[in-house]
Amino acid sequence: MPHMVFLCLALILTVTVIIYIHYTQTTVEGWDPVAYLYAGEQLAQGHGLRFCHPFNGTIGPYFTLAGFNVRRAGDSACLYLNYPPGFPLLLAVAQRVSIFSHTALYVPALCGVLGVFETFALGILVFNHPAGALFGALSLALAPTYMTFSTAPWSDVPGAVLVIGGIVALLWGNRQKQTSVQIIMGSIGGILVGWGIFTRYVDGLILLPLAAYLWLKHRGETLQLKSVQAFGVCMAVAVLGVLSFNRAYYGGFLTTSYSPQHGWYEWPAFHIQYAINRSPVGNSSLWAVIKTIWMNYSWLLVVSGMGLISMRAPERALALGAILVFAGLYSFYAFPSEGINSRFLVPTFPFISLAIGCGLYSSIPGRWQRWWYAIACLVFITSLFVPLPNRLQRLAKRNENAANYLTNLMNVIENCCEPEAVFLAYNTNDLIAYYGRRTTFFYRRIPSNFEKELTNAIRALLLQNIPVYYVQDANPPFRDSLTVLQRDFDLVPLYTEPPIYRIKRKPEVETIFSKLP
């Protein structure tokens, strides 16, 4: 390849590294990211994927982080991670090999940069055009959703990067003449895709368009390729590993954290009505998919369409297949792919970006070709970099707001409440438990008989003279919890930002308790 291509690639990767590292979120906002970070720390220290507290066994399984909900027989004090172990394992490896204490926070950024490089490599291997590969890598690096989740500890970018890396290793191995190299690269590809599946099970769907590409590309020779054979063996081992993990961890070969026994909602995860009408938690899931993809690429989707049309059948099967598999799946999912859930579509972005790159270098006949390249490059680069300052400002504001909110919350918690206190919290549950190292009661996990379970648990705590506080961190309060508590207890307001109440027994209840032996 020309030296200019390497210089351009180095420039893209350098800018991407600087942006991703600088805007990495070092104070997370709870929920999945906190669960991943805590699970990674547990693995790095040689412990299991669990969050333990003695109250879980004596009062109820609610003293936990939001991401730990799985219960296992014979271990009532502990709750286990809701998600596959691939990403926590990646975080654990980073913590073990690094001398810096916060290395895990930057793993998504490094994965994001690696994904940009892999997109370039995939463009070279599949489309064999350096300029198109560069265009694809640049459009991926600056896609707002990809930037957002490359700078925060979610599993979506690492999972996608692992499976794309596996595909790159496999396809590069196919091109090698030495049998040993083919086997090695096919095995590496299988291990990476397997790890990606262990990170997000749904990423295994990439195998469908990959199989179509290999079949169309090599026709009857596909299964004769040593790299494909090695890849297939690793995939078989990975599938057996997933099934065995499910059996040991969730209680059944096909049981996952999304199964009803582990707390999935009363509605089905996928339904055709979610695409046509509203989903249970928002707007149409199909419309959310369209809106998120348009928000990331806007008019460049026209160029991507040109690129898909100009591709040969095998390449089109891989790129369009990957886009349709993931976009199609999430068009019927209960949680629309917008806002924080726009991350679901991250696996489609490398292929949309490569289709854009392919479209930009589509052949224009005659003397207009050079002018087309010049104009296309100018418009393309302008469309990516003009909105970049606003996108970076939003990332900076996200990080600043999260840090300020945590600082304020920790100051309040430290100044208001006893070290042994228990906090009833919803949105702030993970922040108080993880950063504040305090005991929290995650009342969202109460499955039924909400008022009865909640009041019984609080009374059990108060009976042991344990101070109990309620943090009103949702508006309106989740499950009308404030009204429920006011009905059964006396609430003494202590702070307004955020509103925190001391929970006490009502006077008549106090009289009854005082007479108990």
Side-chain angles (χ1 to χ4, degrees):
M1 287 182 290
H3 293 298
M4 184 58 67
V5 173
F6 282 110
L7 290 176
C8 291
L9 177 62
L11 179 61
I12 291 172
L13 294 177
T14 301
V15 171
T16 305
V17 168
I18 293 172
I19 291 175
Y20 287 7
I21 294 294
H22 180 73
Y23 289 96
T24 285
Q25 189 175 28
T26 55
T27 301
V28 298
E29 299 158 315
W31 305 99
D32 296 20
V34 162
Y36 287 128
L37 291 174
Y38 182 80
E41 292 171 2
Q42 290 293 100
L43 290 178
Q45 295 167 10
H47 306 308
L49 297 168
R50 60 184 186 175
F51 187 97
C52 300
H53 195 285
F55 287 163
N56 286 321
T58 58
I59 296 177
Y62 313 122
F63 300 84
T64 182
L65 298 175
F68 289 77
N69 185 49
V70 176
R71 302 177 68 181
R72 295 174 64 178
D75 195 1
S76 60
C78 299
L79 295 167
Y80 290 76
L81 183 67
N82 294 6
Y83 317 112
F87 184 43
L89 182 59
L90 197 62
L91 297 177
V93 171
Q95 292 179 63
R96 292 299 296 268
V97 302
S98 174
I99 60 174
F100 302 104
S101 58
H102 300 297
T103 301
L105 293 169
Y106 295 92
V107 167
L110 298 177
C111 287
V113 175
L114 183 58
V116 173
F117 173 77
E118 289 173 356
T119 299
F120 171 81
L122 191 61
I124 294 293
L125 289 169
V126 175
F127 305 110
N128 198 29
H129 197 289
L134 287 173
F135 288 144
L138 183 59
S139 61
L140 176 67
L142 300 183
T145 296
Y146 190 81
M147 291 173 63
T148 297
F149 294 101
S150 291
T151 53
W154 295 79
S155 65
D156 304 83
V157 168
V161 167
L162 285 166
V163 296
I164 298 298
I167 293 174
V168 169
L170 171 64
L171 298 185
W172 188 79
N174 284 349
R175 293 190 171 194
Q176 307 310 305
K177 295 181 179 180
Q178 293 182 330
T179 301
S180 59
V181 177
Q182 290 184 15
I183 294 174
I184 291 172
M185 296 310 299
S187 301
I188 292 174
I191 292 170
L192 290 176
V193 173
W195 196 342
I197 294 173
F198 260 108
T199 300
R200 289 186 63 81
Y201 287 175
V202 71
D203 286 347
L205 291 174
I206 196 67
L207 295 175
L208 298 176
L210 177 61
Y213 169 81
L214 291 172
W215 184 80
L216 291 171
K217 186 74 173 180
H218 300 284
R219 297 294 179 176
E221 301 175 1
T222 299
L223 296 180
Q224 298 176 14
L225 296 173
K226 297 299 182 182
S227 56
V228 175
Q229 292 175 358
F231 182 87
V233 170
C234 291
M235 281 295 91
V237 172
V239 170
L240 291 175
V242 168
L243 295 176
S244 300
F245 176 81
N246 288 347
R247 178 67 180 84
Y249 197 81
Y250 298 122
F253 291 112
L254 299 180
T255 305
T256 70
S257 61
Y258 296 97
S259 300
Q261 61 264 47
H262 294 308
W264 181 254
Y265 304 89
E266 61 272 14
W267 57 76
F270 298 94
H271 199 283
I272 191 171
Q273 289 296 326
Y274 303 160
I276 302 172
N277 301 315
R278 288 178 58 85
S279 72
V281 294
N283 297 319
S284 162
S285 295
L286 173 60
W287 175 245
V289 167
I290 296 171
K291 186 168 67 172
T292 294
I293 293 177
W294 177 262
M295 183 267 294
N296 279 274
Y297 293 103
S298 63
W299 69 271
L300 288 174
L301 291 175
V302 177
V303 182
S304 71
M306 295 168 51
L308 290 170
I309 293 172
S310 68
M311 292 178 189
R312 294 171 298 177
E315 289 75 20
R316 189 184 304 115
L318 177 61
L320 183 60
I323 295 169
L324 292 179
V325 161
F326 290 103
L329 177 72
Y330 287 113
S331 295
F332 302 94
Y333 190 44
F335 290 86
S337 303
E338 57 187 354
I340 198 68
N341 293 330
S342 61
R343 58 196 171 87
F344 298 155
L345 298 175
V346 164
T348 68
F349 289 176
F351 299 97
I352 296 174
S353 298
L354 285 176
I356 291 171
C358 190
L360 284 171
Y361 72 78
S362 295
S363 178
I364 302 297
R367 59 194 180 91
W368 297 105
Q369 190 176 59
R370 181 176 298 178
W371 285 104
W372 161 252
Y373 285 154
I375 295 172
C377 289
L378 179 62
V379 173
F380 171 73
I381 293 174
T382 301
S383 67
L384 290 180
F385 281 94
V386 166
L388 183 60
N390 287 334
R391 293 172 181 173
L392 296 180
Q393 187 176 14
R394 284 196 294 270
L395 292 178
K397 193 66 175 177
R398 174 200 66 179
N399 297 348
E400 180 183 359
N401 289 343
N404 290 341
Y405 185 81
L406 178 65
T407 299
N408 178 62
L409 179 64
M410 291 299 102
N411 287 336
V412 170
I413 295 300
E414 291 173 6
N415 293 328
C416 84
C417 311
E418 302 84 346
E420 71 274 15
V422 172
F423 295 86
L424 276 71
Y426 174 55
N427 286 322
T428 57
N429 178 86
D430 290 356
L431 299 180
I432 297 172
Y434 181 73
Y435 289 105
R437 303 298 178 184
R438 299 297 193 98
T439 301
T440 57
F441 183 104
F442 189 48
Y443 58 88
R444 180 182 182 271
R445 290 301 184 200
I446 298 177
S448 58
N449 298 322
F450 178 74
E451 182 168 355
K452 179 181 178 181
E453 288 287 330
L454 182 64
T455 54
N456 286 344
I458 294 173
R459 284 169 180 159
L461 292 168
L462 294 177
L463 190 60
Q464 300 178 49
N465 294 319
I466 296 174
V468 183
Y469 296 87
Y470 171 73
V471 184
Q472 185 187 341
D473 50 14
N475 191 21
F478 182 74
R479 284 189 173 181
D480 204 21
S481 52
L482 180 60
T483 302
V484 169
L485 292 172
Q486 288 173 333
R487 189 159 51 235
D488 296 306
F489 302 94
D490 276 346
L491 268 63
V492 181
L494 299 179
Y495 286 87
T496 57
E497 290 296 334
I500 296 181
Y501 302 84
R502 174 77 180 261
I503 300 177
K504 294 186 175 182
R505 292 187 289 260
K506 286 183 177 294
E508 59 271 21
V509 177
E510 188 71 37
T511 302
I512 295 173
F513 272 101
S514 65
K515 295 180 180 180
L516 293 176

